[in-house]
């Protein structure tokens, strides 16, 4: 699987919500460039070149390099919220929902590691307004996981003295997968997801 193909986390149609096709190609190129070189070291010329377009063509679709990063980050965080909200809203015990949330979130970070690195680690490159929007989405991510853990504590299924701290630890564990996951490594995204779900259930003292 090529980098461009996995940039949206293994979706059948990566970045299908981005239109027209030229805007989508530029966004995919930006994801790859930001992940490889970092936001500040990447130029608009780099992005346009990867997309097989002229630098002038980029400005037809995106006014600035930051606008590209903002759109990538917003779409990525909205996907993260969707993944966790779906898991949190399913039927089942808190342990089942937490395992589903963790395994799904980990699979997204492993299968879409290029996108995830940009989405999760380039926040400080955004301007104040864009950063505030993304932080609001991050609070939603936190709230979904925290809600499941609170449900487990209330039901007597989890032994968690510090729910906010444990929520942060769980999310950090999942997100860090994007840093180290290697498609040629010994485990698939599904296998890593299952492993981490088991680790997190142990972390919360699931009964």
């Amino acid at each position: 699987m090529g980098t461009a193909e996995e940039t949206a986390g293994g979706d059948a149609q990566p970045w299908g919500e981005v239109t027209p096709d030229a805007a989508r190609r530029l966004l995919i190129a930006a994801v790859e460039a930001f992940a490889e070189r970092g936001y500040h070291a990447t130029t608009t010329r780099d992005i346009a070149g990867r997309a097989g377009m002229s630098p002038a063509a980029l400005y037809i679709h995106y006014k600035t390099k930051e606008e590209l990063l903002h759109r990538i980050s917003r779409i990525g965080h909205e996907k993260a919220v969707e993944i966790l909200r779906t898991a949190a809203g399913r039927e089942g015990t808190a342990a089942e929902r937490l395992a589903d949330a963790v395994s799904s979130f980990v699979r997204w970070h492993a299968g879409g590691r290029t996108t995830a690195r940009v989405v999760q680690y380039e926040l400080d490159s955004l301007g104040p307004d864009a950063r505030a929007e993304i932080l609001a989405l991050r609070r939603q991510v936190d709230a979904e996981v925290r809600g499941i853990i609170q449900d487990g504590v209330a039901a007597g299924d989890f032994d968690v003295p510090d729910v906010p701290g444990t929520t942060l630890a769980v999310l950090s564990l999942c997100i860090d997968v994007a840093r180290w996951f290697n498609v040629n490594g010994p485990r698939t995204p599904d296998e890593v997801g299952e492993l981490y779900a088991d680790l997190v259930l142990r972390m919360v003292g699931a009964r």
Side-chain angles (χ1 to χ4, degrees), residues 35-65:
E36 181 181 315
R37 306 187 62 183
Y39 174 79
H40 292 294
T42 298
T43 66
T44 53
R45 185 175 294 275
D46 294 332
I47 296 168
R50 285 173 182 262
M53 300 165 70
S54 69
L58 185 148
Y59 296 106
I60 296 174
H61 303 284
Y62 302 99
K63 294 177 183 178
T64 63
K65 184 176 70 168

Side-chain angles (χ1 to χ4, degrees), residues 7-8 15 17 69-85 105 108-109 115-124 126 130-142 144 171 175:
T7 49
W15 304 104
E17 63 270 74
L69 177 61
H70 181 204
R71 190 165 192 192
I72 291 163
S73 190
R74 185 177 66 246
I75 292 172
H77 279 87
E78 287 172 347
K79 180 65 175 178
V81 172
E82 178 190 343
I83 289 169
L84 294 173
R85 186 165 289 161
F105 205 40
W108 185 77
H109 282 84
T115 293
R117 284 199 300 272
V118 176
V119 168
Q120 299 292 3
Y121 299 117
E122 289 287 1
L123 176 64
D124 289 340
L126 292 170
R131 189 172 188 274
E133 180 185 356
I134 300 307
L135 285 174
L137 288 168
R138 287 194 176 201
R139 286 192 289 272
Q140 292 180 43
V141 165
D142 181 276
E144 295 298 337
L171 289 172
I175 288 167

Side-chain angles (χ1 to χ4, degrees), residues 17-28:
E17 63 270 74
V18 180
T19 57
D21 181 67
R24 178 173 171 271
R25 284 164 50 203
L26 286 163
L27 186 140
I28 290 173

